[in-house]
Amino acid sequence: MKKKLIWAILAVLIVGGLVYFKVYYPNSQLQLKNAMKHVDAFAVENYFNSEEKSCGIWYESYTEAETKNGRDNQAVKDCFIKAFSGCSRRSVLIVSDKSQTAESKITYSLIRIINDNDRGECIVQNSYEEQNLNEPKNELPVGYVNTCTALSEDLISSCEPIYIKDAREKESEPESEEVSPENQ
């Protein structure tokens, strides 16, 4: 009787483990943290070395056919917005993976609530790094570390400097065809 009970418990544990790794593990916080430990990016290294509490990793992966989100993306965002409203020291790592699209880039952004200033506003710091996979290896990624006192709706563009915004607008503008004297 004891042997049957032990085998039944083992079978339940094995089936439970398989279900967890098949259904709940993909895109979970545990899986994202394990995957990010091997990433060589400034924002990711700072995330794992930071002393403040973390709200977690917000993750989104794009392909031409679909978008995959981290399992707890909304909970991570809600945690950070709640911490911002109370000016609690927290951080969130935001990863936007577009390596399988035509853009071929990965963006890492560590957003931290540092403290409140003398006006009672929360100071937010964004450590941002955008790696373009189409560029040669010796090219430096687009990156900045900037502070501000407001969060943007999408979080990842919080504290974005003006020169980055201007560069994005220039990239998104359609190039106008100039008429050369030869083409007239």
Side-chain angles (χ1 to χ4, degrees), residues 74-92:
Q74 192 59 45
V76 169
K77 187 174 181 179
D78 291 344
C79 169
F80 193 74
I81 290 172
K82 183 179 177 185
F84 180 75
S85 66
C87 208
S88 303
R89 290 179 47 104
R90 294 285 177 134
S91 65
V92 64

Side-chain angles (χ1 to χ4, degrees), residues 137-149:
K137 295 284 183 192
N138 59 355
E139 288 287 322
L140 292 175
V142 174
Y144 61 84
V145 177
N146 202 15
T147 57
C148 61
T149 57

Side-chain angles (χ1 to χ4, degrees), residues 142-146 160-169:
V142 174
Y144 61 84
V145 177
N146 202 15
E160 189 172 73
I162 297 296
Y163 73 92
I164 298 285
K165 287 181 183 178
D166 290 345
R168 287 190 202 289
E169 288 174 7

Side-chain angles (χ1 to χ4, degrees), residues 7-175:
W7 282 110
I9 291 172
L10 278 174
V12 167
L13 288 176
I14 290 171
V15 169
L18 290 173
V19 167
Y20 172 77
F21 280 103
K22 188 73 171 168
V23 176
Y24 294 106
Y25 184 71
N27 291 324
S28 68
Q29 289 295 305
L30 179 62
Q31 188 262 335
L32 292 173
K33 285 180 183 176
N34 287 335
M36 290 299 137
K37 285 182 182 177
H38 306 289
V39 172
D40 185 28
F42 179 73
V44 176
E45 290 174 21
N46 282 345
Y47 173 77
F48 285 112
N49 294 329
S50 66
E51 294 180 10
E52 67 266 0
K53 289 183 179 180
S54 169
C55 284
I57 300 173
W58 187 93
Y59 177 79
E60 209 163 56
S61 174
Y62 301 90
T63 62
E64 299 299 337
E66 66 179 335
T67 301
K68 291 183 181 178
N69 295 318
R71 182 177 307 282
D72 298 327
N73 276 4
Q74 192 59 45
V76 169
K77 187 174 181 179
D78 291 344
C79 169
F80 193 74
I81 290 172
K82 183 179 177 185
F84 180 75
S85 66
C87 208
S88 303
R89 290 179 47 104
R90 294 285 177 134
S91 65
V92 64
L93 178 65
I94 300 174
V95 179
S96 177
D97 182 359
K98 296 181 181 177
S99 61
Q100 303 297 319
T101 64
E103 285 184 64
S104 190
K105 67 180 180 180
I106 302 173
T107 305
Y108 304 100
S109 180
L110 173 63
I111 303 177
R112 302 167 58 191
I113 300 170
I114 298 174
N115 243 340
D116 56 341
N117 62 13
D118 55 354
R119 292 188 218 156
E121 300 168 323
C122 282
I123 299 173
V124 177
Q125 180 184 59
N126 189 354
S127 302
Y128 182 93
E129 186 173 327
E130 183 177 295
Q131 297 178 350
N132 189 341
L133 303 176
N134 290 331
E135 291 182 0
K137 295 284 183 192
N138 59 355
E139 288 287 322
L140 292 175
V142 174
Y144 61 84
V145 177
N146 202 15
T147 57
C148 61
T149 57
L151 288 178
S152 69
E153 184 67 31
D154 63 350
L155 291 183
I156 199 166
S157 60
S158 296
C159 305
E160 189 172 73
I162 297 296
Y163 73 92
I164 298 285
K165 287 181 183 178
D166 290 345
R168 287 190 202 289
E169 288 174 7
K170 284 182 182 178
E171 281 182 8
S172 65
E173 289 177 0
E175 293 183 24

